Amino acid sequence: MRAVIPVAGFGSRLRPHTHSLPKVLLHVAGRPIIAHILDELKIQKINKVTIIYGYKGEMIREYIDKHYDFDVEYVEQTELLGLGHAIWCAKDTFGGEDILMILGDTIFDADLSAAWKSGKSSIGVKEIDDPRRFGVVVENEDGFIDRMVEKPQEFVSNKAIVGIYYIKNSDLLSEQLQKLIDEEIKTRGEFQLTDALQMMLESGEEMTTFPVSGWLDCGKKETMLETNQFLLKKYNYKYDENNFDNSKIIYPCFIGGNVKLVNSVIGPNVSLADSAELFSCEIKNSIIATGSKLINVKIKDSLVGERCEIKAKYETEMKDLNLGSDSEINLYEYINKFLE
Ligand code: UTP
């Protein structure tokens, strides 16, 4: 079995953070998004991995090579022409093996063994109330997938395709992807993976579904914060408050190495990456990236990038900050004793 993970995208919905880091290296609950996915592959004992990289790909390669010992093949997608195109770029690494495709920005909580239990190709799905924004599968009476429909405006199924696909017949997938490219079959201007999967169904491939209970999208700020909340609750980290100076932690929270907390209250649902420094702050439901320094700041529902510096007035609560790396905010020009 080989995992195939496309991570080439620009991550434009997560700007400004993706100006300096590729989306999959942004932290959620203390680790980069991609680390949550790769750690799950380790648990599943899947050791062969294909990474399809593009935008800021060198940073991703460096991170994976430093932290993991997978048998990894890197394939570059030089033009971002859609997910179908991304997988097509990697088809020579499949060699007819079973593959597990996982979108690089989708952390999941699912029993993956359910995917291969049926012995058929199987698509990860989640039942949702309003499937109009998603791709869905329509199943027949025997539980096999009949067809896939992108963003159905009329109700056809509530089983949304979450972005994890187990494909047994990877040769057939390669063949259909090749057809997409050769015949320029695009939907909404892109080569779509769903189109190739639909073509597989039409050529007789049997596919089932498996349930993904936790579908943790990291595509935009709001979903990053929701994913952070879910994972913090799941991991349930605990810290000794005596390591910090007159500060309180309201769980769940993640606190990285060398974090300095002085006269502060953090939580719930806060991730503080390594070397963050907080003086007289109150932080709720936020992710603060590595090396940021906050003084007299009261914030919630915010993403603060790496090495930011925020000086504010404690009495004024701010919300929905979305600050890219190295940003500086100085709301009040006063010299704080901690700045000395
Ligand atoms: P998205 O559709 O979320 O695109 O891709 P994106 O670039 O990451 O983010 P936005 O839409 O600009 O904000 C889902 C996954 O598929 C990969 C992305 O890297 C992401 O992991 N992908 C998408 C590719 O590798 N290549 C593509 O051409 C498209």
Side-chain angles (χ1 to χ4, degrees):
M1 167 107 65
R2 168 176 295 275
V4 178
I5 310 178
V7 297
F10 291 119
S12 48
R13 288 167 297 155
L14 266 168
R15 287 176 189 151
H17 308 283
T18 46
H19 284 313
S20 51
L21 282 172
K23 175 163 61 175
V24 298
L25 291 188
L26 298 179
H27 278 234
V28 59
R31 274 177 296 159
I33 294 168
I34 190 79
H36 292 278
I37 298 171
L38 295 176
D39 290 348
E40 185 60 34
L41 295 183
K42 281 270 162 218
I43 293 169
Q44 296 295 333
K45 301 202 169 22
I46 297 172
N47 196 42
K48 285 188 277 185
V49 182
T50 298
I51 301 286
I52 303 152
Y53 69 95
Y55 179 68
K56 297 197 183 291
E58 284 309 316
M59 296 173 92
I60 302 171
R61 289 183 66 152
E62 202 178 299
Y63 177 82
I64 296 175
D65 290 343
K66 188 170 167 195
H67 294 90
Y68 293 91
D69 60 353
F70 289 112
D71 172 2
V72 56
E73 296 229 30
Y74 293 101
V75 176
E76 186 173 9
Q77 185 190 19
T78 48
E79 271 185 295
L80 300 185
L81 300 177
L83 194 53
H85 180 262
I87 306 293
W88 172 81
C89 291
K91 67 181 177 10
D92 292 342
T93 69
F94 303 168
E97 298 165 285
D98 294 3
I99 57 169
L100 181 71
M101 296 182 282
I102 306 174
L103 300 190
D105 59 352
T106 302
I107 303 173
F108 55 91
D109 194 28
D111 172 15
L112 279 183
S113 65
W116 30 92
K117 219 179 267 169
S118 70
K120 307 276 181 198
S121 292
S122 193
I123 310 292
V125 294
K126 182 167 170 68
E127 293 190 14
I128 54 169
D129 293 335
D130 182 4
R132 282 176 298 185
R133 289 188 301 119
F134 304 97
V136 298
V137 298
V138 181
E139 290 163 299
N140 64 24
E141 290 146 12
D142 304 322
F144 288 107
I145 301 175
D146 208 28
R147 62 198 164 101
M148 297 180 191
V149 185
E150 266 303 320
K151 303 190 174 66
Q153 291 314 299
E154 304 273 299
F155 182 86
V156 285
S157 156
N158 64 347
K159 287 192 175 173
I161 300 171
V162 308
I164 311 171
Y165 315 80
Y166 169 63
I167 301 295
K168 279 216 67 86
N169 191 349
S170 63
D171 281 341
L172 180 61
L173 175 65
S174 300
E175 211 177 282
Q176 302 304 339
L177 289 169
Q178 189 63 51
K179 198 167 164 198
L180 277 192
I181 306 295
D182 290 345
E183 298 178 15
E184 288 246 3
I185 302 171
K186 291 185 181 174
T187 304
R188 291 185 307 280
E190 292 195 340
F191 293 108
Q192 304 283 355
L193 177 63
T194 321
D195 287 340
L197 295 173
Q198 177 64 33
M199 285 152 63
M200 287 178 77
L201 288 171
E202 284 161 17
S203 56
E205 178 75 0
E206 286 184 322
M207 292 189 198
T208 60
T209 59
F210 68 96
V212 176
S213 56
W215 177 10
L216 308 171
D217 174 42
C218 296
K220 51 184 189 166
K221 172 175 168 278
E222 293 72 24
T223 57
M224 278 270 285
L225 288 174
E226 277 168 32
T227 296
N228 187 53
Q229 284 176 21
F230 180 96
L231 293 175
L232 288 176
K233 194 169 173 202
K234 176 174 165 182
Y235 294 133
N236 193 23
Y237 302 110
K238 293 285 176 229
Y239 303 92
D240 183 353
E241 277 181 10
N242 295 321
N243 293 332
F244 306 108
D245 189 354
N246 189 33
S247 294
K248 182 164 175 50
I249 303 162
I250 304 170
Y251 293 103
C253 280
F254 168 83
I255 302 178
N258 294 322
V259 164
K260 202 166 183 175
L261 289 183
V262 180
N263 298 333
S264 295
V265 180
I266 65 154
N269 301 314
V270 170
S271 287
L272 298 179
D274 293 351
S275 307
E277 297 187 5
L278 273 60
F279 302 95
S280 303
C281 292
E282 190 179 314
I283 317 287
K284 291 179 196 158
N285 192 39
S286 297
I287 302 175
I288 314 288
T290 312
S292 282
K293 184 169 181 176
L294 279 59
I295 300 167
N296 281 343
V297 173
K298 194 171 180 180
I299 51 169
K300 62 179 180 181
D301 310 336
S302 295
L303 290 187
V304 175
E306 298 182 311
R307 301 173 302 275
C308 289
E309 188 158 320
I310 313 178
K311 297 171 210 159
K313 190 168 179 186
Y314 181 81
E315 292 73 24
T316 314
E317 184 175 56
M318 297 183 283
K319 119 184 238 298
D320 292 324
L321 289 189
N322 201 18
L323 293 185
S325 300
D326 301 296
S327 300
E328 287 180 27
I329 295 183
N330 191 349
L331 288 182
Y332 282 88
E333 276 287 22
Y334 63 47
I335 304 298
N336 185 294
K337 65 176 174 157
F338 299 114
L339 288 175
E340 286 163 11

